[in-house]
Amino acid sequence: MAEEDGKRDGAPFRGMRNIRKLADIPDRKQREAIERGLEYGLEAAASVQDRTISTFARGHQPAFAGINTFLKAPYVEDVHEVGKHEVAVLGAPFDMGTTYRAGCRFGPQAIRRISALYDSYSVDMAVDLEEELDLVDLGDVFVIPSNLEKSFDQIDRAVSFVVGQGVFPVVLGGDHSIGYPDVRGIAPHVDGRVGIIHLDRHLDIQERDMDERIHTTPWFHATNIPNAPPANLVQMGIGGWYGSRPGVKVARERQTTVLTITDIEEVGVEKAAEVALEVAWKDAEAVYLSFDIDSVDAGFVPGTGSPEPGGLLPREALKLLRLIAREGVCGMEVVEVAPPYDVSDMTAQLACRAVMDVLGTLVAEGKLGRRKREPVAAEEPTSRDLT
């Protein structure tokens, strides 16, 4: 039985397959980083035997040293140069849209800081992000702390500029109000409909809350954009006892697709992903991915503004994100990481992993990066396999 479980279609375990695949990925960028570190950071003291180590930290190690960008990717100070790259991480450190606990303005810093823990190499996915993807960090959008609408305009302009340069945007929030300007920045660059897949415990689709367009309202306004209609909005993981009544009315009126956490539990992650992809991609040219960290059970992500027990388990959330990413997305956001309430950076760490898993999937599927498209491995079925 163990032998049968260890093989799929005559192939060995994923780990054994991937070890062989990873051997074929060059380490050119890693070697260049070592050379650059020695050039810019001075050779190490004579007592240090490993002569790839420099005096000043200029690379990935130590994880606790250096000035952090996301995954210690190159920082692009001149945003006019972003078009030379494939993926740009940008922070939207804005939390004036929160209704309960503020603090996610520090989310981008926390996610970048804990991202230093990781290298770019995944045995499970057979991907090396550093070698196979041209990823840079643009730093943060200059938001206006006291003004929602001006901050929306700034975020919209930043995202639009990145997408207009042909670059994939990864937006680190910030509260969920930024979902609206993020989609508003992308939509004009898509020749056709934009679908939205939204993972959350809350619907976030009422028109206003306490007379403002805040983090409970982004999808009402995003689906007012002509080419981002509510028919292509899917909201997954909804549930709990907080803040749903106004959104339910709008979701019913606009006929959006809502999958509760119980739906996902009953039909399974794979089927839920199939449904989401079918709806979001119907007559659409692109799909945007919005991951609210509070879609995960609060026991795993204490560092968020509106924690809700009973959500997705981390492994379920990551698998769902990978299944969605397999079909391709035009951009993504990770929102509502509030480090003042976090424990051991565990919330920021899951947010970081969400980005890495999506980017890794896009590379593995040939949607981004240098890899030619290869047949899909057998671990998780695509939406086409489930019909």
Side-chain angles (χ1 to χ4, degrees):
M1 183 67 177
E3 183 178 349
E4 292 178 4
D5 290 343
K7 294 185 177 181
R8 291 176 179 151
D9 300 325
F13 280 113
R14 167 180 289 270
M16 302 305 295
R17 294 197 309 270
N18 288 357
I19 285 172
R20 292 199 293 270
K21 283 185 180 179
L22 286 163
D24 295 330
I25 299 174
D27 62 352
R28 178 180 57 83
K29 284 192 175 181
Q30 186 178 51
R31 288 185 284 106
E32 288 176 352
I34 291 170
E35 293 170 3
R36 189 168 57 249
L38 293 171
E39 180 182 356
Y40 295 161
L42 304 180
E43 290 188 1
S47 59
V48 177
Q49 296 182 38
D50 183 350
R51 301 313 294 174
T52 67
I53 292 174
S54 55
T55 297
F56 288 87
R58 288 294 182 268
H60 290 286
Q61 296 296 329
F64 51 81
I67 299 172
N68 286 340
T69 58
F70 186 77
L71 296 180
K72 294 195 174 180
Y75 170 56
V76 176
E77 184 175 14
D78 185 351
V79 298
H80 298 91
E81 301 294 314
V82 71
K84 298 177 180 178
H85 308 282
E86 292 177 287
V87 177
V89 174
L90 56 153
F94 183 75
D95 62 8
M96 291 299 292
T98 53
T99 54
Y100 185 43
R101 301 193 305 196
C104 53
R105 67 178 61 185
F106 301 107
Q109 288 182 354
I111 297 168
R112 287 185 175 106
R113 184 181 67 250
I114 199 62
S115 76
L117 175 65
Y118 295 103
D119 57 29
S120 63
Y121 189 83
S122 171
V123 173
D124 194 41
M125 301 182 75
V127 166
D128 188 327
L129 291 178
E130 182 178 21
E131 297 293 339
E132 298 189 88
L133 189 66
D134 188 353
L135 170 72
V136 296
D137 196 320
L138 289 184
D140 292 340
V141 177
F142 193 138
V143 298
I144 313 300
S146 60
N147 192 295
L148 286 157
E149 301 300 330
K150 289 180 181 178
S151 294
F152 288 172
D153 291 345
Q154 287 281 86
I155 295 166
D156 173 341
R157 178 171 169 77
V159 172
S160 180
F161 182 83
V162 169
V163 175
Q165 297 295 306
V167 178
F168 183 93
V170 176
V171 184
L172 308 179
D175 69 56
H176 216 158
S177 68
I178 70 169
Y180 168 50
D182 285 345
V183 174
R184 198 173 77 184
I186 289 173
H189 301 281
V190 177
D191 186 17
R193 287 188 179 190
V194 180
I196 301 167
I197 297 180
H198 162 223
L199 278 63
D200 205 330
R201 293 290 276 149
H202 313 103
L203 285 165
D204 293 351
I205 197 173
Q206 62 198 77
E207 182 176 5
R208 290 183 182 272
D209 192 347
M210 291 181 274
D211 208 43
E212 291 287 348
R213 303 199 291 183
I214 53 180
H215 77 159
T216 54
T217 74
W219 309 123
F220 180 96
H221 303 288
T223 56
N224 279 342
I225 298 169
N227 65 329
N232 292 95
L233 170 64
V234 186
Q235 298 170 278
M236 312 183 73
I238 307 303
W241 294 87
Y242 174 69
S244 293
R245 185 183 293 273
V248 165
K249 180 180 179 182
V250 176
R252 187 168 55 240
E253 291 170 349
R254 296 197 168 193
Q255 298 183 317
T256 66
T257 298
V258 176
L259 278 70
T260 68
I261 191 65
T262 306
D263 288 326
I264 297 173
E265 181 182 27
E266 290 180 348
V267 306
V269 171
E270 292 89 351
K271 182 64 177 179
E274 176 192 5
V275 171
L277 289 165
E278 182 179 350
V279 172
W281 276 104
K282 184 175 175 57
D283 300 322
E285 293 297 320
V287 167
Y288 182 70
L289 177 58
S290 176
F291 179 51
D292 188 329
I293 204 72
D294 73 28
S295 62
V296 177
D297 187 285
F300 298 96
V301 290
T304 190
S306 300
E308 180 65 56
L312 295 162
L313 300 178
R315 192 182 301 172
E316 292 174 330
L318 293 173
K319 185 173 187 178
L320 188 54
L321 291 169
R322 292 194 300 269
L323 287 167
I324 292 165
R326 276 185 168 176
E327 301 300 323
V329 291
C330 62
M332 73 172 297
E333 64 189 16
V334 179
V335 298
E336 299 288 351
V337 174
Y341 317 106
D342 208 359
V343 177
S344 300
D345 291 319
M346 58 195 295
T347 308
Q349 191 171 8
L350 183 58
C352 176
R353 271 294 309 273
V355 174
M356 295 179 73
D357 276 27
V358 169
L359 293 180
T361 301
L362 293 171
V363 169
E365 292 296 311
K367 307 289 186 182
L368 285 175
R370 303 178 183 88
R371 185 181 298 191
K372 293 181 179 179
R373 187 172 178 83
E374 298 175 355
V376 177
E379 182 210 14
E380 297 159 353
T382 66
S383 60
R384 291 183 293 273
D385 295 330
L386 291 163
T387 57

